[in-house]
Amino acid sequence: MGVSLLSTFTSLVNVPSLTISTTPTIRCPSNAVVIRCNKMDTDVPGENVLRRREVLKCFGASVGMELLASSGSFVEMASAADLIQRRQRSEFQSSIRQTLSAAIKGKPELIPYILTLALNDAITYDKATKSGGPNGSIRLSSEISRPENNGLSAALNLIEEAKQEIDSYSKGGPISFADLIPFAGQSAVKATFLASAIRKCGGNIEKGSILYSAYGSSGQWGLFDRQFGRTDSQEPDPEGRVPQWGKATVQEMKDKFSSIGLGPRQLAVMSAFLGPDQAATEALLATDPDITPWVQKYQRSRETVSQTDYEVS
């Protein structure tokens, strides 16, 4: 920002003799904005001298006018910078998804374990202490080795390999596991949606892709974008916050989901996150009267062409 003080007050450059004519007012040029400085009578006979306080008032007002006049360009510059930043962020996230999608496509058998990994990293959140949550702590050896995370190491290895590639083209430094693990979960979920569409097209990949593009739900993926930029925890989350899903009772699952503000509906729709066999998990959940309606709702939805209810939820 440049404020030209001399151009604003060309008449004030010669400071030693600040006098004005006997006309009622004097005009001080300020980029087509007129500031009137009132004449002040002094006790010097025959002269009208501009008092110092009035000079400062005139000076300050002119500077303020220049700032107001130039504020529009600053708003435009800020808006342009914001748009550029958003575009770069969007392009980077798109590249992340492409890298993860390619990695998952190469090892589709790891999809259920990626989903459980993402869930177990996030569900350590404790409302009372506001600790835990999706902070990447599951990558630490002392946490990934816990019983509830048994069998998830291969999924973590896939994410670590993808991270190396992502870091190689990242212009803003390494991506955190706290960001990457939820992104991997997102990519895994989308992969299940696409696979379902391909099955409904008799295994034809091209037709299945068209079907998913036409009817597949984009979900609320914007949530990931808004939360992008989290830092990794350097300490493992406290033990005992994640059930062993394969051994937990339905009530234990309900209690855990309830502790983080989720209910029977969310438990039903996330059945694919609770173990490698979604059908077996849903059969168990359906024994609970609170969850049964939701399990049935999403099973019916998955039988439709678009799976809208299931995919959106």
Side-chain angles (χ1 to χ4, degrees):
M1 175 180 66
V3 177
S4 177
L5 304 183
L6 292 181
S7 65
T8 304
F9 279 98
T10 53
S11 61
L12 299 183
V13 177
N14 297 321
V15 177
S17 58
L18 292 175
T19 60
I20 60 174
S21 66
T22 57
T23 56
T25 59
I26 180 172
R27 296 174 182 264
C28 302
S30 176
N31 290 348
V33 179
V34 177
I35 306 296
R36 296 180 181 274
C37 303
N38 293 332
K39 172 186 72 79
M40 299 297 297
D41 294 331
T42 68
D43 38 350
V44 179
E47 289 188 346
N48 293 295
V49 182
L50 198 63
R51 288 186 178 178
R52 185 165 135 187
R53 180 178 297 177
E54 295 304 315
V55 171
L56 292 176
K57 286 182 180 179
C58 188
F59 177 84
S62 297
V63 171
M65 286 297 185
E66 286 208 16
L67 289 174
L68 288 174
S70 62
S71 63
S73 61
F74 281 111
V75 171
E76 292 174 1
M77 291 171 61
S79 298
D82 183 57
L83 288 174
I84 292 172
Q85 185 180 43
R86 289 185 183 183
R87 184 185 66 188
Q88 292 174 339
R89 182 187 181 100
S90 176
E91 291 174 350
F92 180 50
Q93 291 175 347
S94 177
S95 298
I96 293 172
R97 294 187 179 99
Q98 290 175 9
T99 298
L100 288 170
S101 178
I104 292 171
K105 185 177 181 180
K107 296 182 178 180
E109 70 278 5
L110 292 181
I111 287 177
Y113 302 98
I114 294 171
L115 296 178
T116 303
L117 182 78
L119 174 64
N120 285 7
D121 188 49
I123 210 165
T124 57
Y125 178 70
D126 180 70
K127 289 172 64 176
T129 61
K130 298 190 183 301
S131 61
N135 54 21
S137 65
I138 200 170
R139 79 191 189 282
L140 301 173
S141 59
S142 58
E143 189 167 331
I144 191 65
S145 61
R146 293 174 183 171
E148 65 267 23
N149 296 324
N150 184 38
L152 303 183
S153 295
L156 179 61
N157 291 338
L158 179 145
I159 293 173
E160 288 175 336
E161 291 173 3
K163 184 179 186 305
Q164 293 179 358
E165 180 179 342
I166 293 167
D167 289 346
S168 69
Y169 58 71
S170 171
K171 297 179 181 179
I175 187 173
S176 68
F177 282 95
D179 278 335
L180 189 55
I181 290 173
F183 265 107
Q186 177 199 90
S187 297
V189 169
K190 285 190 171 183
T192 65
F193 295 168
L194 178 58
S196 177
I198 292 173
R199 285 195 301 271
K200 290 174 182 177
C201 291
N204 188 302
I205 296 177
E206 183 179 358
K207 290 182 178 179
S209 299
I210 294 174
L211 174 64
Y212 178 66
S213 299
Y215 295 101
S217 169
S218 62
Q220 299 181 23
W221 306 123
L223 177 63
F224 291 91
D225 301 344
R226 292 195 298 272
Q227 294 184 340
F228 188 74
R230 289 172 293 200
T231 57
D232 286 332
S233 171
Q234 301 305 314
E235 299 290 336
D237 287 332
E239 295 188 59
R241 293 187 177 183
V242 183
Q244 295 185 50
W245 303 113
K247 298 180 179 181
T249 65
V250 177
Q251 188 60 51
E252 288 173 337
M253 295 182 190
K254 288 173 66 178
D255 291 343
K256 183 56 197 178
F257 270 62
S258 177
S259 71
I260 60 171
L262 301 178
R265 177 178 183 174
Q266 288 76 26
L267 183 54
V269 79
M270 296 187 70
S271 58
F273 289 71
L274 304 176
D277 189 343
Q278 184 178 16
T281 302
E282 287 187 331
L284 176 62
L285 294 175
T287 61
D288 186 284
D290 293 331
I291 308 176
T292 299
W294 297 111
V295 171
Q296 294 173 345
K297 173 184 175 70
Y298 294 129
Q299 286 177 338
R300 289 193 300 268
S301 176
R302 290 200 299 271
E303 293 173 0
T304 64
V305 173
S306 64
Q307 299 192 135
T308 302
D309 287 340
Y310 177 66
E311 291 189 9
V312 170
S313 296

